[in-house]
Amino acid sequence: MSDNMHHQWLLLAACFWVIFMFMVASKFITLTFKDPDGYGAKQEPLILTAVTKVEEVHVPEEKRWPEEFQPTGKAFSGNLIRQPLVHMERLELLRNVCRDTALRNLSHTAVSKFVLDRIFVCDKHKILFCQTPKVGNTQWKKVLIVLNGAFSSIEEIPENIVHDHEKNGLPRLSSFTDAEIKKRLNLYFKFFIVRDPFERLISAFKDKFVHNPRFEPWYRHEIAPGIIRKYRKNRTETRGLQFEDFVRYLGDPNHRWLDVQFGDHIIHWVTYVELCAPCEIAYSVIGHHETLEDDAPYILKAAGIDHLVSYPTIPPGITVYNKTKVERYFSGISKRDIRRLYARFEGDFKLFGYQEPDFLLN
């Protein structure tokens, strides 16, 4: 009986010893590998691999990925921790599509004066911003105007000054010499914003041909009649420019003869490729209008200016992709015209990860 009790006590003691050793080992492992900031030793090989890939597109070293991505205030979303990976994936996708020879005609363009005219310069903080109209560019211009010192705060900037390039203090990259342009393209932090291509076209149509600001009468009185004369099927129709006319114009492979007549006004609806040459210029960040609540503070942080200026408040829901609106606008358009439109903007869809619309697949 005493032997049995002795064996039971030995067995119990052994069990306690094993449990104790397991707890010590677990604590040791936790202390060794715990990553308090989310970017510790365990993740370092992944981050190094991704940065190596980004270097292939020549993103300036000092501006690529700041050491800390922790939120610094209310403007920063909790999603900011994941932002570096999101933006690296976007650059990776861009590079892969740029290499696709089948899409070369839709993804490549010359870095012409037209492109250089779209890029605004902030020499003080070494930043280049490519303007892509109808994706919230007015707010980014305000940010750069403040950074360049023309105004001390965004609230002080009169609306009529923002797009007055003689008064807003924003030089265009085209205003520099070839050597100065090359230097800035190689060394500065460069970014632009994109949006679902079809939703952007709807925004451009509504802004320029439906609401039509009083200070831009040429859209309704000069450009719209030119499109109607060429592309309206029903010659007896007397209404102003319809979205169907606009789509037919944009999808026409021979649209350029009208583009030349319209001049720089076409910036509101030409492709991102034509505006910013993303396969020729190594951009540091490509923001998306649909995720601007996260992308705006990330861009400010990555550019090293988040302590100097904030992106203006974004009204709730304004950046969300409105699928219902897009489907409604395209519901009366023939499949042939939609396919021709998509054929022109396919490069934008593929380069920036936007899905081909469902109504085009049905």
Side-chain angles (χ1 to χ4, degrees), residues 325-359:
K325 179 184 69 176
V326 174
E327 290 177 344
R328 185 177 72 251
Y329 266 83
F330 281 92
S331 62
I333 313 297
S334 71
K335 284 292 181 62
R336 171 184 174 273
D337 289 338
I338 297 176
R339 289 193 182 98
R340 292 179 69 169
L341 181 69
Y342 179 78
R344 178 180 175 185
F345 287 85
E346 183 180 6
D348 283 358
F349 276 93
K350 296 290 179 61
L351 284 165
F352 308 112
Y354 289 103
Q355 297 298 314
E356 185 176 347
D358 293 338
F359 54 81

Side-chain angles (χ1 to χ4, degrees), residues 135-158:
V135 294
N137 281 265
T138 297
Q139 306 305 328
W140 284 110
K141 279 187 176 182
K142 290 179 180 178
V143 168
L144 293 182
I145 289 170
V146 170
L147 290 173
N148 275 351
F151 292 86
S152 59
S153 71
I154 287 175
E155 292 72 25
E156 295 178 9
I157 306 173

Side-chain angles (χ1 to χ4, degrees), residues 170-183:
L170 291 181
R172 299 174 189 261
L173 191 55
S174 58
S175 66
F176 296 87
T177 67
D178 289 348
E180 291 171 334
I181 290 171
K182 183 177 181 180
K183 175 184 176 181

Side-chain angles (χ1 to χ4, degrees), residues 104-172:
R104 184 169 183 82
N105 290 338
L106 296 171
S107 60
H108 289 262
T109 191
V111 183
S112 62
K113 184 179 183 299
F114 181 81
V115 172
L116 298 176
D117 277 345
R118 311 278 77 79
I119 301 177
F120 295 98
V121 181
C122 176
D123 278 329
K124 186 176 181 180
H125 299 283
K126 293 183 169 57
I127 296 171
L128 299 180
F129 167 63
C130 185
Q131 177 188 20
T132 50
K134 315 324 302 174
V135 294
N137 281 265
T138 297
Q139 306 305 328
W140 284 110
K141 279 187 176 182
K142 290 179 180 178
V143 168
L144 293 182
I145 289 170
V146 170
L147 290 173
N148 275 351
F151 292 86
S152 59
S153 71
I154 287 175
E155 292 72 25
E156 295 178 9
I157 306 173
E159 288 299 322
N160 64 319
I161 294 293
V162 178
H163 300 297
D164 188 335
H165 299 126
E166 294 182 359
K167 299 178 180 179
N168 64 15
L170 291 181
R172 299 174 189 261

Side-chain angles (χ1 to χ4, degrees), residues 33-269:
F33 295 108
K34 186 177 181 181
D35 179 13
D37 296 321
Y39 286 90
K42 289 284 283 182
Q43 294 184 352
E44 194 167 331
L46 171 63
I47 296 300
L48 289 176
T49 301
V51 170
T52 301
K53 292 179 180 178
V54 173
E55 286 178 350
E56 292 179 19
V57 293
H58 312 298
V59 179
E61 183 70 29
E62 72 275 14
K63 294 290 186 181
R64 190 177 295 115
W65 309 119
E67 293 180 0
E68 298 295 331
F69 288 94
Q70 301 298 328
T72 59
K74 292 182 180 180
F76 287 88
S77 161
N79 291 331
L80 191 60
I81 302 298
R82 298 185 285 105
Q83 285 293 296
L85 181 58
V86 168
H87 290 282
M88 282 188 265
E89 288 173 346
R90 289 176 183 174
L91 291 176
E92 177 77 3
L93 172 64
L94 174 71
R95 187 170 72 248
N96 289 338
V97 177
C98 288
R99 290 171 176 169
D100 188 342
T101 55
L103 291 172
R104 184 169 183 82
N105 290 338
L106 296 171
S107 60
H108 289 262
T109 191
V111 183
S112 62
K113 184 179 183 299
F114 181 81
V115 172
L116 298 176
D117 277 345
R118 311 278 77 79
I119 301 177
F120 295 98
V121 181
C122 176
D123 278 329
K124 186 176 181 180
H125 299 283
K126 293 183 169 57
I127 296 171
L128 299 180
F129 167 63
C130 185
Q131 177 188 20
T132 50
K134 315 324 302 174
V135 294
N137 281 265
T138 297
Q139 306 305 328
W140 284 110
K141 279 187 176 182
K142 290 179 180 178
V143 168
L144 293 182
I145 289 170
V146 170
L147 290 173
N148 275 351
F151 292 86
S152 59
S153 71
I154 287 175
E155 292 72 25
E156 295 178 9
I157 306 173
E159 288 299 322
N160 64 319
I161 294 293
V162 178
H163 300 297
D164 188 335
H165 299 126
E166 294 182 359
K167 299 178 180 179
N168 64 15
L170 291 181
R172 299 174 189 261
L173 191 55
S174 58
S175 66
F176 296 87
T177 67
D178 289 348
E180 291 171 334
I181 290 171
K182 183 177 181 180
K183 175 184 176 181
R184 285 162 176 76
L185 286 174
N186 285 336
L187 298 178
Y188 282 19
F189 178 89
K190 302 171 287 294
F191 76 100
F192 66 99
I193 313 296
V194 296
R195 180 184 191 178
D196 176 86
F198 279 4
E199 190 171 35
R200 173 175 170 254
L201 294 180
I202 293 172
S203 177
F205 173 77
K206 290 171 59 180
D207 182 45
K208 302 306 177 186
F209 301 109
V210 179
H211 304 310
N212 188 236
R214 287 179 299 172
F215 56 85
E216 295 180 329
W218 48 84
Y219 287 101
R220 179 174 291 175
H221 300 301
E222 297 177 22
I223 294 178
I227 296 174
I228 290 172
R229 282 193 299 269
K230 173 67 176 176
Y231 296 101
R232 177 156 293 176
K233 289 183 176 181
N234 184 359
R235 297 296 180 178
T236 62
E237 174 63 65
T238 59
R239 291 183 300 170
L241 186 72
Q242 301 298 296
F243 190 62
E244 181 181 10
D245 307 321
F246 190 55
V247 167
R248 199 171 290 120
Y249 150 58
L250 294 177
D252 184 358
N254 299 312
H255 63 84
R256 293 192 184 281
W257 76 275
L258 266 186
D259 288 352
V260 173
Q261 297 180 43
F262 298 158
D264 280 1
H265 301 310
I266 64 174
I267 65 172
H268 297 280
W269 51 77

